[in-house]
């Protein structure tokens, strides 16, 4: 196992891509901290399953990624309990779909906080330890929307373009410290986040459920297939490997060809 003795914090890992990343890192031997919302029993079940399936330590921290103080406290707690934060995956994210003139101001603030500012706060808190240990992997879950836009997703597209810029800056700053920072930009991955935005897109565009899948979601992806959470997780594991030590500041597309067009 390539990541034995590494300690990983994956934000937004009670579901979807984050959970798949946490499980994939644990499969490689890393101790992990889960974060995110959900029913406590379900989270405890996932946490215990990771420990028993992979023989690693798995802890949970319920920090709200829209709250800077909670993010800093989480990084401190993981460092105290697991011994370090060697791998940080900034993955927590939410979506809201609305025409710009009706876009609720509180939704804008929430999406910028959770999808963009949270990564800044977590990186800021985790970087000192990585620099001292001369090893670190920071992976931001961006999106095809870090490179191109879609209508009705003002806050999400702005936040994801911001994450791509943050990734470049941090990659440059930490380049001589054995710490890499990259983002992975999936196209549409079949997760609760995608499923939940279908009703709003139906409303915004006056489409049926099937039309949203065919004409909005998969219309963008030349392969006509959803990305899987396990494919994103496998890319994250690769970025944590020694083979990826010279990959930094990049934006890795995994979008079935979407942004090639
Ligand atoms: P998801 O809804 O399955 O998971 C989102 C996770 O974030 C959950 O664990 C949730 O509890 C957590 N979360 C939400 N708000 C939080 C908060 N305030 N504090 C802490 N945790 C919070 O979604 P997903 O599709 O797995 O998305 C994960 C990431 O991948 C997001 O950043 C998203 O933008 C990105 N992404 C998703 C897709 C896709 O098609 N699903 C495509 C590109 C990028």
């Amino acid at each position: 196992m390539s990541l034995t003795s590494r300690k990983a914090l994956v934000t937004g890992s009670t579901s979807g891509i984050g959970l798949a990343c946490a499980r994939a890192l644990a499969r490689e031997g890393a101790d992990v901290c889960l974060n995110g919302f959900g029913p406590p029993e379900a989270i405890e079940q996932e946490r215990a399953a990771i420990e028993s399936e992979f023989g690693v330590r798995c802890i949970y921290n319920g920090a709200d990624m829209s709250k800077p103080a909670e993010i800093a406290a989480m990084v401190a707690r993981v460092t105290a309990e697991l011994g370090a934060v060697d791998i940080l995956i900034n993955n927590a994210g939410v979506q809201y779909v609305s025409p710009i003139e009706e876009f609720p101001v509180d939704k804008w603030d929430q999406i910028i906080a959770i999808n963009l500012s949270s990564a800044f706060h977590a990186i800021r808190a985790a970087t000192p330890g990585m620099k001292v240990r001369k090893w670190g992997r920071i992976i931001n879950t961006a999106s095809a929307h870090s490179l191109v836009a879609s209508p009705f997703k003002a806050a999400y597209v702005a936040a994801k373009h911001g994450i791509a810029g943050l990734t470049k800056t941090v990659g440059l700053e930490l380049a001589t410290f054995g710490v890499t920072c990259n983002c992975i930009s999936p196209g549409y991955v079949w997760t609760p986040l995608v499923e939940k935005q279908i009703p709003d897109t139906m409303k915004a565009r006056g489409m049926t459920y099937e039309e949203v899948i065919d004409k909005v979601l998969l219309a963008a992806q030349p392969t006509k297939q959803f990305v899987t959470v396990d494919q994103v997780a496998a890319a994250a594991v690769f970025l944590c490997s020694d083979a990826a030590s010279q990959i930094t500041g990049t934006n890795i597309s995994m979008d079935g060809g979407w942004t090639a067009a």
Side-chain angles (χ1 to χ4, degrees), residues 89-118:
I89 303 193
N90 290 304
N91 170 81
V94 291
Q95 174 64 283
Y96 193 82
V97 179
S98 162
I100 187 78
E101 67 275 23
E102 291 163 22
F103 210 101
V105 172
D106 63 328
K107 289 288 179 196
W108 169 273
D109 289 342
Q110 183 200 30
I111 290 176
I112 297 298
I114 298 172
N115 295 19
L116 175 58
S117 301
S118 72

Side-chain angles (χ1 to χ4, degrees), residues 126-198:
T127 292
M130 291 180 178
K131 280 173 105 168
V132 167
R133 288 186 301 279
K134 292 260 179 208
W135 196 93
R137 293 288 189 267
I138 300 167
I139 300 166
N140 301 317
T141 308
S143 162
H145 284 120
S146 72
L147 297 163
V148 295
S150 295
F152 311 119
K153 295 184 176 176
Y156 188 88
V157 171
K160 294 299 184 181
H161 275 62
I163 273 281
L166 177 67
T167 299
K168 289 182 189 175
T169 304
V170 175
L172 291 178
E173 278 188 43
L174 303 182
T176 56
F177 292 93
V179 180
T180 68
C181 179
N182 295 288
C183 57
I184 299 175
S185 285
Y188 282 102
V189 188
W190 189 253
T191 67
L193 182 140
V194 165
E195 212 175 344
K196 275 188 274 181
Q197 67 187 275
I198 292 177

Side-chain angles (χ1 to χ4, degrees), residues 7-11 13 25 31-35 61 71 74-75 78 82 85-90 122 126:
K7 319 292 179 186
L9 167 59
V10 185
T11 74
S13 50
L25 295 173
D31 292 333
V32 293
C33 178
L34 298 176
N35 159 262
N61 188 293
I71 299 169
M74 173 171 65
V75 172
V78 178
L82 296 183
V85 175
D86 300 306
I87 297 166
L88 169 65
I89 303 193
N90 290 304

Side-chain angles (χ1 to χ4, degrees), residues 2-3 6 21 25 28 86-89 135-142 167 178-185 231-254:
S2 59
L3 297 176
R6 300 296 186 198
C21 287
L25 295 173
E28 291 300 317
D86 300 306
I87 297 166
L88 169 65
I89 303 193
W135 196 93
R137 293 288 189 267
I138 300 167
I139 300 166
N140 301 317
T141 308
T167 299
V179 180
T180 68
C181 179
N182 295 288
C183 57
I184 299 175
S185 285
Q231 289 170 334
V232 180
V237 167
F238 173 69
L239 286 172
C240 293
S241 72
D242 289 341
S245 69
Q246 294 305 311
I247 301 177
T248 196
T250 60
N251 189 342
I252 297 175
S253 288
M254 189 179 282

